[in-house]
Amino acid sequence: MNRLIVISNRVSVPNAAGAAGAQGGLAVALNSALREHRGIWFGWSGQETEEFTGHLNMQRIDDVTTATIDLEPQDIEEYYNGYANRTLWPLFHYRIDLTEYDRNFGEGYERVNARFADAVLPLIEPDDLVWVHDYHLLPLGSLLRGKGVKNRMGLFLHTPWPPTRLLASLPFHERLVSSMLEYDVIGFQTEEWLGSFLHYVEKEMGLAINEDGSIDCNGRRIVAQAFPIGIDYDEFVEGARSDEAREAHDHLKASVRGRKMLIGVDRLDYSKGLGERFESFSRFLTDNPDQAARVVLLQIAPPSRGDVASYQQIREDLERKTGHINGAHADVAFVPIRYVNRGYPRRQLAGFYRAADIGLVTPLRDGMNLVAKEYVAAQDPDDPGVLILSQFTGAALQLTDALLVNPHSIEHVGETIKRALEMPLAERRRRHEKLLASVRDEDIVHWRNQFVAALFGRDGDGAGDRLARDEAA
Ligand code: GDG
C-alpha cells in the first residue's frame, strides 16, 4: 500500500482531538483519515523557536506518525498571522475590506513554504502519495518539484476560492496560482469554488480547460475537482450515544427549563456571521414579543487567531452586541443569548446539538461547514431539530433540505427562526431524513477515498475497495 504523507500548517495530535476543545475542522478531518493509513502527518508544531533549525520532532501516537518543526517568531508573524490569516483567509472569504497586502507577509510565506519543503523532503519515499492541505501551503508542491520530487501530489483547499476579480487584487496572484499547477490533483469543497478556479485559469492564464475539467499545462495533466468534505459519521454518532453526551444534553435541557433552544457553534471568526446572527435573533424577539421568554440562543464560540487585530475586533463587537441584545430583551428570570467563549469536548458538543430545537448555521462565507453536518447527525430521528443554514456555505449545496437563508437579511433569518419553531413534526422528520442520508453517505471516509483515488489516478470506489482490502490484509 502506498503511504500517505499529509502536510498541513498545524499538526494536531490525534489523541487530543476529543479533549482539545477548540479543534478546527481540518484537524478533525485529518485525524480520522490518518488513523486508517500507515502515513505521516507533517507540519508546524505550533511552537516557537528562537532560530529555525528544521529539526524534525517525530512521534507515533494512535497509529499516526507525526513529524513537526518549530518556527521562528518572524515566520509566525509574517507567514501565519500575516499572509495566511491577514491576506489569504479574508481574500478567500470575499472580505477584500479586511485583506492586507504587505510585501513582508509574502516573503515570509515563501520562506516558510521553502522551509517546509526542506524539512519534509527526507521523509518522502518514491511510492508515497503526498497530500497537502489548505491555503497556507499553496506553493509547497512546486517547491518540492524543484527539489526533484516526482511523486503524485495533491492539494485540497478547505476554504472557498474567490472570484477572479477579487483574486486579481492580490499582488503576484499569477505566480501563486501557477505554482499550484505543479500538483497532480487540486481539490475544492464545491463545484462553485472549482468553477471560480477554472475561470481564473482560463481567463488570467490563458489555459484551456478540457471537457472533463482537467487542465493541460507544461506537458502534464492536472485534475481539478470538487470533493465535498464530510464528518466522521460513525465516530460522531458513537460519541452522541455516550454517557458524556447524554449528561451534557440533560444538563443543558434542565437549565433552559422548558424553553426552546437554538444553538450556534463556531470558531470566533468574522466569516461565520455571528454579528448578523445575533441581530437576526434580536429581530425575531422584537417581532415576536410573546416568544421572548420562551426561546434562548446558545452560542459557543471558542476564540481563534487572537493575535490578529480583526479577530480582536470581532470579539469586542460580539461582546457589545450580546450585552446590548440581552439588555433589551432579558427579564429577571432569563437572558435570551448565552454567549460562551470556550470550547467543549466533542461528546459534550454532540449532547448540546441534540438538546437544541434549531441549529443556526449562518456564515457569510464558508468553504464547507462541518457544524451543520454534526448538528444533523446528533439529532433524534423521531423528534429532530431544524437546521437553518446559510446559502453561502459549501454545505448548502448538499444539505438542500435545510431551511436555506441569506445571512445578510436579518428580517428573513428572523422569520425563518419563527418558521422553524412552528414546523410540524412530520415536516421536521421528512427533512431530517434526507439531510441525514446526505451526511451519512458523504462522510469523511467517502471524501478521503475520492481524493486518494484521484491521487492514484483511479475512480473513487475502486480506491475505496483497494484501501479496504489493504486494511484487511
Ligand atoms: C475549515 C473551513 C471546512 C467548534 N467548536 C468546538 C469544536 N468545534 C469544531 C466543530 C467542527 C469544527 O470545529 C469546525 O469546523 P467548520 O467546518 O465548521 O469550520 P472551520 O474551523 O472554519 O473549518 C470549513 C473545514 O475547514 C473542513 O474542511 O468545513 O469551511 O473554514 O468540527 O465541531 N469542537 C470541540 N469543541 C468546541 O467547542 N470539540
Side-chain angles (χ1 to χ4, degrees):
M1 178 166 96
N2 305 60
R3 290 191 321 170
L4 196 58
I5 308 284
V6 168
I7 309 178
S8 64
N9 169 54
R10 285 290 294 275
V11 172
S12 177
V13 180
N15 263 350
Q23 289 264 311
L26 176 59
V28 172
L30 290 185
N31 281 331
S32 154
L34 273 157
R35 231 177 284 131
E36 304 205 14
H37 285 265
R38 201 169 47 90
I40 299 180
W41 187 0
F42 170 82
W44 173 34
S45 60
Q47 302 296 316
E48 205 175 286
T49 180
E50 214 162 288
E51 199 173 331
F52 181 76
T53 62
H55 169 75
L56 283 174
N57 181 9
M58 310 279 295
Q59 274 183 294
R60 190 167 170 81
I61 301 160
D62 200 14
D63 283 343
V64 178
T65 301
T66 58
T68 55
I69 50 171
D70 300 341
L71 293 177
E72 288 175 7
Q74 192 184 349
D75 289 342
I76 298 168
E77 202 40 41
E78 294 175 353
Y79 149 81
Y80 181 66
N81 290 328
Y83 203 75
N85 287 333
R86 285 160 73 177
T87 309
L88 293 183
W89 177 270
L91 181 64
F92 282 16
H93 287 83
Y94 297 44
R95 291 300 298 269
I96 199 165
D97 57 319
L98 297 176
T99 305
E100 295 176 48
Y101 305 98
D102 182 324
R103 188 158 284 192
N104 292 333
F105 292 174
E107 285 169 10
Y109 185 72
E110 293 192 2
R111 181 177 66 248
V112 172
N113 269 270
R115 289 183 161 175
F116 265 57
D118 286 334
V120 76
L121 189 65
L123 297 176
I124 301 176
E125 292 172 9
D127 283 339
D128 291 347
L129 300 172
V130 178
W131 187 1
V132 176
H133 288 262
D134 234 359
Y135 60 101
H136 313 84
L137 301 172
L138 302 181
L140 183 63
S142 118
L143 292 163
L144 286 170
R145 292 269 182 251
K147 293 179 181 302
V149 173
K150 304 256 182 312
N151 300 49
R152 298 275 297 170
M153 287 199 282
L155 168 76
F156 183 78
L157 189 68
H158 292 256
T159 65
W161 183 267
T164 301
R165 286 286 192 199
L166 289 190
L167 186 56
S169 68
L170 181 72
F172 306 113
H173 54 92
E174 308 90 340
R175 195 159 94 198
L176 189 69
V177 185
S178 300
S179 74
M180 288 168 65
L181 296 180
E182 294 288 340
Y183 290 103
D184 299 295
V185 179
I186 307 177
F188 298 89
Q189 301 271 26
T190 69
E191 296 288 338
E192 187 179 350
W193 321 134
L194 169 65
S196 298
F197 177 77
L198 293 178
H199 180 269
Y200 179 96
V201 166
E202 213 171 9
K203 300 290 180 236
E204 294 286 322
M205 304 176 80
L207 293 172
I209 311 297
N210 299 319
E211 266 191 21
D212 62 0
S214 62
I215 305 159
D216 291 325
C217 179
N218 299 332
R220 294 174 44 255
R221 177 154 292 189
I222 298 133
V223 172
Q225 208 177 306
F227 302 90
I229 199 168
I231 61 168
D232 188 341
Y233 182 79
D234 292 338
E235 179 256 7
F236 195 81
V237 168
E238 191 193 317
R241 293 195 184 120
S242 65
D243 290 345
E244 215 181 332
R246 203 164 306 123
E247 277 163 28
H249 169 276
D250 294 351
H251 182 64
L252 183 56
K253 270 281 190 202
S255 80
V256 297
R257 285 177 292 157
R259 274 180 282 161
K260 296 276 187 190
M261 188 173 64
L262 296 82
I263 193 168
V265 177
D266 309 76
R267 275 186 310 101
L268 223 178
D269 192 297
Y270 47 79
S271 66
K272 303 293 182 184
L274 295 173
E276 290 77 359
R277 185 179 308 171
F278 287 3
E279 277 173 26
S280 300
F281 184 60
S282 174
R283 172 57 62 95
F284 163 78
L285 296 176
T286 305
D287 291 349
N288 302 277
D290 58 314
Q291 292 291 316
R294 297 197 193 136
V295 182
V296 57
L297 167 62
L298 170 62
Q299 176 63 55
I300 295 173
S304 78
R305 304 176 192 169
D307 292 335
V308 177
S310 48
Y311 287 76
Q312 294 157 8
Q313 186 64 50
I314 176 86
R315 189 168 180 170
E316 278 171 30
D317 290 350
L318 289 172
E319 276 162 13
R320 201 172 325 110
K321 208 160 263 181
T322 312
H324 189 73
I325 296 170
N326 279 343
H329 297 284
D331 206 333
V332 286
F334 67 86
V335 284
I337 301 182
R338 294 185 187 178
Y339 174 52
V340 188
N341 272 147
R342 55 164 281 203
Y344 289 86
R346 284 183 75 65
R347 292 183 163 191
Q348 286 187 25
L349 210 54
F352 295 161
Y353 286 136
R354 196 177 175 99
D357 301 279
I358 297 178
L360 196 51
V361 184
T362 54
L364 304 180
R365 199 63 63 174
D366 213 334
M368 175 52 64
N369 194 288
L370 294 179
V371 166
K373 297 186 174 187
E374 290 166 0
Y375 177 77
V376 169
Q379 296 308 298
D380 172 1
D382 292 331
D383 187 15
V386 180
L387 176 64
I388 298 180
L389 179 62
S390 160
Q391 65 191 80
F392 302 126
T393 60
L397 275 73
Q398 293 173 295
L399 304 181
T400 48
D401 286 282
L403 295 182
L404 298 182
V405 292
N406 171 358
H408 297 282
S409 173
I410 306 299
E411 290 80 7
H412 181 227
V413 177
E415 287 158 14
T416 308
I417 291 173
K418 184 163 190 282
R419 181 176 166 204
L421 287 169
E422 291 169 354
M423 189 181 285
L425 178 62
E427 184 180 351
R428 282 193 277 129
R429 279 193 187 153
R430 199 169 56 240
R431 287 176 179 273
H432 179 256
E433 197 180 329
K434 291 190 185 149
L435 293 171
L436 191 66
S438 161
V439 170
R440 189 186 51 222
D441 297 345
E442 296 181 87
D443 70 347
I444 198 157
V445 178
H446 178 78
W447 171 74
R448 181 201 61 211
N449 285 346
Q450 296 291 317
F451 194 92
V452 172
L455 254 184
F456 269 122
R458 306 203 179 101
D459 72 59
D461 296 335
D465 293 342
R466 203 190 109 85
L467 288 171
R469 274 201 311 279
D470 285 339
E471 289 305 323

